Amino acid sequence: DTAVSQTPKYLVTQMGNDKSIKCEQNLGHDTMYWYKQDSKKFLKIMFSYNNKELIINETVPNRFSPKSPDKAHLNLHINSLELGDSAVYFCASSQAGGLDTEAFFGQGTRLTVV
Amino acid sequence: AQTVTQSQPEMSVQEAETVTLSCTYDTSESDYYLFWYKQPPSRQMILVIRQEAYKQQNATENRFSVNFQKAAKSFSLKISDSQLGDAAMYFCAYRFSQGGSEKLVFGKGMKLTVNP
């Protein structure tokens, strides 16, 4: 069974469109994250949710809106897509309450905006 | 600000030899963890090894070991008996608490090539 799964794996869309990436974890973790990996492979945190509550928002444009319907899901909706949004987006989860807990990552979603 | 620096963007090693990947970090926190993650071409992020800041003993996982120098804020990864499957991007990461959540900050990564 996949621990953290993201859909879709690949997404190609035109500028100006709105798209969503879904993420689900079956590990029972309390905390979920979205990371963005740019073309130079740099991984940067975007959001962190703990029990459906937004904890970290790293000055991400308002066009990006995460939604957590329950603690097993954290979806990412992006409005008015721009060329610069092209990247690989990773969802991750971890158990809250310990710095030593491993963060488990999804397979990533490669978003290409044309 | 908490930062993680991997100064070598690329390295190569011969199969069966040893290679060391360097990482330094900057923090004012006293409690934190350090991690090395591997990202093969499949894109999957895989945890290689972790180290608690309070532990002086260096972590070891089979062929992977770290050299943790807390005063120098250095956290290097040594891969012994390198295998072709070790070829990947390697990310050093630092984890600390912020605003009730644990935040994981990554270095820019280093591409490791293993030559047969």
Side-chain angles (χ1 to χ4, degrees):
Chain A
D1 284 343
T2 304
V4 181
S5 61
Q6 296 177 228
T7 53
K9 288 188 175 57
Y10 299 92
L11 184 55
V12 181
T13 187
Q14 290 188 328
M15 272 195 307
N17 284 350
D18 303 338
K19 290 293 177 187
S20 293
I21 305 171
K22 294 185 176 182
C23 178
E24 176 182 3
Q25 54 96 2
N26 62 5
L27 298 165
H29 288 165
D30 298 316
T31 305
M32 295 185 73
Y33 311 84
W34 277 108
Y35 280 83
K36 178 181 180 180
Q37 186 173 40
D38 62 24
S39 58
K40 295 183 178 178
K41 302 291 188 182
F42 184 46
L43 268 161
K44 186 170 167 48
I45 190 168
M46 300 173 67
F47 301 103
S48 167
Y49 268 72
N50 192 22
N51 274 322
K52 304 192 300 176
E53 182 183 345
L54 178 65
I55 301 296
I56 294 173
N57 180 343
E58 286 289 312
T59 59
V60 178
N62 290 338
R63 298 183 295 104
F64 290 79
S65 53
K67 284 190 171 47
S68 182
D70 55 62
K71 76 173 193 177
H73 295 84
L74 181 61
N75 304 322
L76 183 65
H77 188 76
I78 315 170
N79 289 328
S80 303
L81 278 155
E82 300 176 358
L83 293 176
D85 297 332
S86 296
V88 179
Y89 292 84
F90 284 94
C91 176
S93 74
S94 67
Q95 189 60 34
L99 292 174
D100 63 326
T101 58
E102 178 182 350
F104 289 82
F105 285 79
Q107 316 95 312
T109 297
R110 181 177 293 280
L111 171 65
T112 304
V113 183
V114 297
Chain B
Q2 289 84 358
T3 58
V4 178
T5 303
Q6 293 178 252
S7 56
Q8 304 149 304
E10 288 191 52
M11 290 185 77
S12 62
V13 63
Q14 289 296 126
E15 197 176 0
E17 293 190 349
T18 296
V19 64
T20 299
L21 287 59
S22 64
C23 173
T24 58
Y25 59 96
D26 187 20
T27 182
S28 55
E29 302 286 335
S30 58
D31 189 17
Y32 54 89
Y33 262 78
L34 297 161
F35 300 82
W36 278 98
Y37 277 85
K38 168 185 175 181
Q39 186 181 39
S42 66
R43 281 206 318 247
Q44 184 68 47
M45 294 291 288
I46 302 165
L47 177 65
V48 175
I49 199 165
R50 79 188 86 187
Q51 173 80 41
E52 182 180 5
Y54 276 112
K55 284 190 177 173
Q56 291 186 342
Q57 185 175 5
N58 290 323
T60 300
E61 288 285 343
N62 300 316
R63 297 182 296 107
F64 299 88
S65 61
V66 301
N67 183 3
F68 175 46
Q69 302 289 329
K70 191 172 182 179
K73 296 181 181 173
S74 168
F75 181 59
S76 60
L77 174 69
K78 185 170 84 170
I79 306 175
S80 304
D81 186 25
S82 297
Q83 300 176 359
L84 295 177
D86 294 334
M89 287 289 296
Y90 284 83
F91 293 91
C92 179
Y94 158 81
R95 191 150 187 224
F96 61 101
S97 289
Q98 178 180 339
S101 181
E102 288 80 36
K103 190 173 174 182
L104 190 61
V105 176
F106 287 89
K108 292 191 173 182
M110 193 225 67
K111 182 179 179 181
L112 178 67
T113 301
V114 181
N115 300 312

